[in-house]
Amino acid sequence: MKKLILTLLAAIAVTTGYAKSYTVKSPDGKLTITVNTGEKTTWSINHGETTILLPSEIGMETSNGHYGRKVRIKNTKSGKTDKTFKTGIYKKAEVRDNYHWLTINTAEGYAMTFRAYNDGAAYRFETTAAGNMTVKNETSEYHFDGDYKTFVPYVNDNRGGEKWCYSFESYYDEAPLSAMFADTLSITPLAVCLPNGMKAVIMDCGVEDYPGMYLVKGEGNSLAATFPPLPTNSMIGGYARLNLVPEKRADYIAECISGKGKSVAFPWRTVLVTTSDSQLLDNDMAQRLAPECRIEDTSWIKPGKVAWDWWNNTNLTGVDFVAGMNTDTYKYYIDFASANALEYIIIDEGWSDSESLMKLSDKIDLSALVGYAASKDVGIILWSSWRNMIKDMESTMEHYSRMGIKGFKVDFFDRDDQEAVNSVYAIAKCAADNHLLLDLHGLKPMGVQRAYPNILNFEGVKGLENSKWEPRTAAGPVHDQPRYDVTAPYLRMLPGPMDYTPGAMTNATKDKFFGNNNHPMSQGTRVHQMAMYTIFEAPLQMLADSPTRYEKEQECTDFIAKVPTVFDETVALDGELGEYIVMARRKGNVWYIAAMNNWTPRTVTIDISRLKGLGTKAVIFSDGVNAAKDASDYKRTETTIDPTTCMKADLAPAGGWTAIVE
């Protein structure tokens, strides 16, 4: 009997020691996070009567112990937060950060914090354990109660054959959870289509001093996170020897140092929850969960548009010089930018030696171009590979800043292990110290853009460049770019801006399109391209076609040039993932409205009565009546509108509609 009593007391002690359950609800009371601790820690999410996430394990295997297993709870804290912060360079002037939170502090010296928002749930680990620590692995599972359809951006085209070396450019495979490829990584965000039009979107936020998160197919209807191990040795390789490809990796994913009163906060694991797809078009979770701005004076950071050379292969016509990598060509780009009030030009690959940014090509006079551009109130941004930039970063950035260069487009990161992520933060800080802007390619946003808003853009997108080499069959192009165009804003754009590089003035229907590197074209209509300037978030937005093509289409160019690249307000008016988008953005007293669709023609209703302070004078570009046969066909209309009603937009196959209303 005494032995039985002692056994029962021991069981009670274990239960009260670490087997407990907690809940935290969103401010509107609809979303509930349930946390269970015990042999392992799980979290689950419900939204009203809908199960979003079944109990799913979370944890970290560290050199200090296994976080999340057999938790000994020291204390818990909970509360409410409701604040706003100004953004400066974003799709809106300020962001509201409204959530309820729970922090579980453990006797082992780490904590688990959970946040319940109206539009999603997030958690992260923190530690105050002193000294050096390695993270061997992290467990972050996502179990669903059905075999739901997914939008999966698989990893492919690895650099140098290295598993974790990838450009973060993926089309979306649409398949149920059960049909996902078990042997293939996926980048994030990844969408799971729940019943009644709801979506659960998995992503990581606030990544710093830690690798990015990938997803793989788990058991049953589940997904599991996986992370690139820390490189121990890298070599020059990959595409055209532009990459630093890891040859060896450690048996752990991260190293960190804590102690002396300093805690280490690991990245947020996030599940967005929406009841309509359009909610994804105006989501601020990545901004809320990112590190706060670390630049005291941001007044020098100037977003804007860019006349760009690479996509159009410097195809200038009607000039008296041979176009290419030479001074005359870039003077023409500068003149074009100045004439159309574009803030910048980019000089892409070829201006410097392939192995040194300090050795200039003898084909151009860079100093003369900088002076000429300054006289025209145009800035110059230079291209660089990541591996060349980090060779002597401080002196390189200081040198070109003093010369008058305004920024760098740093390319071919193609990694987001801890070493690469730390390098991004170091580059951003060094650039900020030298008042240089950044456009980062081969990378997706991770939250660093809020900490260092001199990072205006990221690539990590299947952008217009893919049209240069797109294969086709008798039925048309292999990849459905217009469907991607109305998918990426819902998913890829969630973590931050994307350098899609729109603006093609040669536009093709499905039967006429073919990939051509030297004379590229776009899939879909002219106005489909023009609508991107309002819909695609990009504080540094390209005009990808050649100056002489834009000059021949001045009516369209004038419109594109007037669309800002940052805004005071964003309103997602309508849309369906993969089908169509209707969006409005405001800058000052002017509204910019746009719609795009996939290859299915449709008429959309635009409820402009939702737009506060909308004027009545509108300039509208719509697909021409023959755009289904000739994708370059469009119609420009100046009209007076009634801001209290709805408007109709007839979208051709892969079509568009866009307006400026004052």
Side-chain angles (χ1 to χ4, degrees):
M1 184 67 180
K2 183 177 180 181
K3 184 177 180 180
L4 177 60
I5 292 171
L6 290 173
T7 301
L8 288 172
L9 289 173
I12 292 169
V14 169
T15 301
T16 57
Y18 56 82
K20 293 189 177 181
S21 182
Y22 304 89
T23 61
V24 55
K25 288 185 174 290
S26 60
D28 64 6
K30 295 179 180 179
L31 186 144
T32 303
I33 301 172
T34 302
V35 182
N36 287 297
T37 62
E39 287 295 324
K40 60 183 180 180
T41 298
T42 66
W43 76 322
S44 58
I45 307 170
N46 286 74
H47 189 279
E49 300 299 317
T50 302
T51 298
I52 306 300
L53 197 68
L54 292 171
S56 303
E57 184 179 1
I58 64 174
M60 297 181 74
E61 185 181 352
T62 80
S63 56
N64 290 340
H66 203 307
Y67 297 175
R69 295 281 177 88
K70 297 183 178 180
V71 180
R72 293 186 299 150
I73 297 171
K74 181 179 179 181
N75 59 55
T76 63
K77 297 180 180 180
S78 60
K80 304 176 182 179
T81 298
D82 190 359
K83 61 183 180 181
T84 58
F85 59 87
K86 296 189 181 300
T87 58
I89 300 171
Y90 191 51
K91 61 188 177 186
K92 57 186 66 171
E94 62 180 26
V95 167
R96 185 182 182 188
D97 197 14
N98 182 24
Y99 59 91
H100 294 173
W101 58 271
L102 165 71
T103 296
I104 301 172
N105 294 302
T106 73
E108 289 81 8
Y110 69 89
M112 299 176 286
T113 295
F114 300 84
R115 291 186 183 181
Y117 289 89
N118 293 342
D119 58 357
Y123 77 86
R124 73 176 176 186
F125 286 87
E126 299 178 37
T127 182
T128 56
N132 297 336
M133 183 181 79
T134 61
V135 180
K136 185 173 180 62
N137 204 356
E138 179 182 343
T139 298
S140 185
E141 296 179 346
Y142 304 87
H143 292 267
F144 297 93
D145 67 350
D147 189 15
Y148 300 126
K149 176 182 175 180
T150 61
F151 282 73
V152 185
Y154 285 117
V155 169
N156 52 59
D157 190 25
N158 298 95
R159 303 303 190 190
E162 210 273 340
K163 178 179 180 179
W164 304 99
C165 202
Y166 178 59
S167 66
F168 305 94
E169 301 176 19
S170 303
Y171 291 109
Y172 293 92
D173 279 40
E174 300 173 38
L177 284 160
S178 63
M180 284 181 61
F181 301 128
D183 61 349
T184 307
L185 298 170
S186 169
I187 58 175
T188 61
L190 181 153
V192 179
C193 303
L194 303 174
N196 302 315
M198 297 185 70
K199 299 288 188 298
V201 180
I202 303 167
M203 58 190 289
D204 55 349
C205 297
V207 180
E208 181 175 9
D209 196 20
Y210 201 81
M213 182 177 78
Y214 297 74
L215 295 170
V216 294
K217 186 179 185 298
E219 295 183 4
N221 301 318
S222 72
L223 299 162
T226 186
F227 302 85
L230 184 69
T232 57
N233 186 53
S234 298
M235 62 175 288
I236 296 173
Y239 176 75
R241 289 174 49 82
L242 288 168
N243 292 109
L244 282 174
V245 180
E247 289 184 291
K248 295 181 180 179
R249 292 184 181 268
D251 62 355
Y252 51 87
I253 63 175
E255 298 173 333
C256 57
I257 301 174
S258 61
K260 296 182 180 179
K262 176 186 176 184
S263 65
V264 174
F266 297 99
W268 293 96
R269 311 296 168 220
T270 308
V271 178
L272 304 182
V273 179
T274 62
T275 55
S276 67
D277 289 355
S278 61
Q279 293 168 349
L280 292 171
L281 297 171
D282 187 24
N283 187 281
D284 298 312
M285 191 69 80
Q287 277 280 312
R288 300 172 191 145
L289 300 179
E292 293 184 3
C293 182
R294 296 172 185 173
I295 302 176
E296 186 173 346
D297 176 17
T298 61
S299 61
W300 59 272
I301 301 174
K302 185 180 179 182
K305 293 196 181 67
V306 184
W308 182 40
D309 56 352
W310 182 85
W311 189 80
N312 58 76
N313 200 32
T314 58
N315 283 331
L316 303 178
T317 59
V319 298
D320 57 3
F321 55 86
V322 176
M325 181 58 68
N326 57 57
T327 302
D328 286 337
T329 294
Y330 289 103
K331 281 188 174 181
Y332 197 99
Y333 277 77
I334 292 166
D335 288 341
F336 167 74
S338 177
N340 291 280
L342 309 181
E343 289 81 0
Y344 303 101
I345 71 161
I346 279 182
I347 303 179
D348 218 282
E349 184 180 11
W351 65 271
S352 71
D353 182 83
S354 62
E355 294 296 326
S356 174
L357 298 179
M358 301 304 289
K359 294 181 181 179
L360 298 179
S361 168
D362 58 6
K363 297 178 180 179
I364 64 170
D365 186 339
L366 186 58
S367 294
L369 285 173
V370 170
Y372 186 74
S375 73
K376 300 277 188 173
D377 198 25
V378 173
I380 294 178
I381 296 171
L382 301 175
W383 179 93
S384 167
S385 68
W386 171 46
R387 73 172 183 85
N388 276 343
M389 175 55 70
I390 61 177
K391 285 179 179 177
D392 193 3
M393 181 171 63
E394 289 80 5
S395 60
T396 297
M397 288 196 177
E398 181 181 9
H399 171 77
Y400 285 107
S401 177
R402 287 183 176 179
M403 180 185 286
I405 295 298
K406 301 302 181 184
F408 279 95
K409 173 183 171 182
V410 186
D411 204 349
F412 289 94
F413 282 87
D414 296 347
R415 286 166 46 190
D416 69 345
D417 48 54
Q418 187 187 29
E419 181 180 75
V421 168
N422 288 350
S423 179
V424 171
Y425 277 83
I427 290 170
K429 183 181 185 305
C430 186
D433 290 343
N434 289 282
H435 284 196
L436 291 170
L437 306 175
L438 291 172
D439 177 12
L440 306 182
H441 276 218
L443 200 68
K444 66 180 177 67
M446 62 187 73
V448 63
Q449 68 272 21
R450 183 180 170 199
Y452 292 99
N454 58 314
I455 303 177
L456 294 182
N457 223 352
F458 296 79
E459 192 188 30
V461 64
K462 279 291 186 184
L464 193 64
E465 67 174 0
N466 289 271
S467 67
K468 290 166 72 74
W469 48 76
E470 172 64 29
R472 68 167 292 134
T473 66
V478 170
H479 296 104
D480 189 341
Q481 191 71 33
R483 185 167 181 82
Y484 179 83
D485 295 344
V486 291
T487 302
Y490 292 94
L491 299 178
R492 161 57 188 85
M493 218 156 66
L494 284 168
M498 58 186 196
D499 199 8
Y500 182 99
T501 69
M505 292 290 108
T506 300
N507 317 106
T509 55
K510 190 181 294 187
D511 63 322
K512 293 181 179 178
F513 176 88
F514 64 94
N516 188 316
N517 183 72
N518 294 329
H519 301 280
M521 65 188 72
S522 72
Q523 295 185 41
T525 71
R526 169 73 55 79
V527 187
H528 185 87
Q529 289 287 307
M530 295 174 67
M532 293 176 179
Y533 287 89
T534 292
I535 292 173
F536 289 173
E537 183 184 349
L540 190 69
Q541 184 64 280
M542 308 290 164
L543 274 71
D545 221 322
S546 76
T548 51
R549 284 289 293 131
Y550 286 120
E551 287 164 349
K552 292 174 182 176
E553 303 286 352
Q554 194 62 49
E555 193 171 59
C556 298
T557 305
D558 288 343
F559 184 94
I560 291 170
K562 289 179 180 178
V563 181
T565 63
V566 294
F567 298 87
D568 298 324
E569 184 179 358
T570 290
V571 180
L573 294 170
D574 195 9
E576 182 180 345
L577 178 63
E579 297 293 327
Y580 70 100
I581 295 167
V582 185
M583 180 179 286
R585 303 191 194 269
R586 178 182 60 82
K587 184 69 173 178
N589 296 322
V590 182
W591 280 95
Y592 304 83
I593 312 171
M596 293 194 312
N597 67 322
N598 57 19
W599 284 114
T600 303
R602 73 190 75 221
T603 298
V604 297
T605 299
I606 303 174
D607 185 4
I608 58 175
S609 68
R610 294 174 55 190
L611 306 179
K612 297 178 181 178
L614 186 69
T616 59
K617 180 182 177 183
V619 175
I620 301 170
F621 278 74
S622 55
D623 293 326
V625 294
N626 293 305
K629 295 181 178 180
D630 180 352
S632 295
D633 188 31
Y634 71 88
K635 180 179 180 181
R636 180 186 183 276
T637 306
E638 290 190 31
T639 187
T640 299
I641 64 171
D642 180 352
T644 66
T645 61
C646 294
M647 301 178 70
K648 299 286 187 181
D650 295 319
L651 305 179
W657 183 98
T658 186
I660 298 176
V661 183
E662 300 182 75

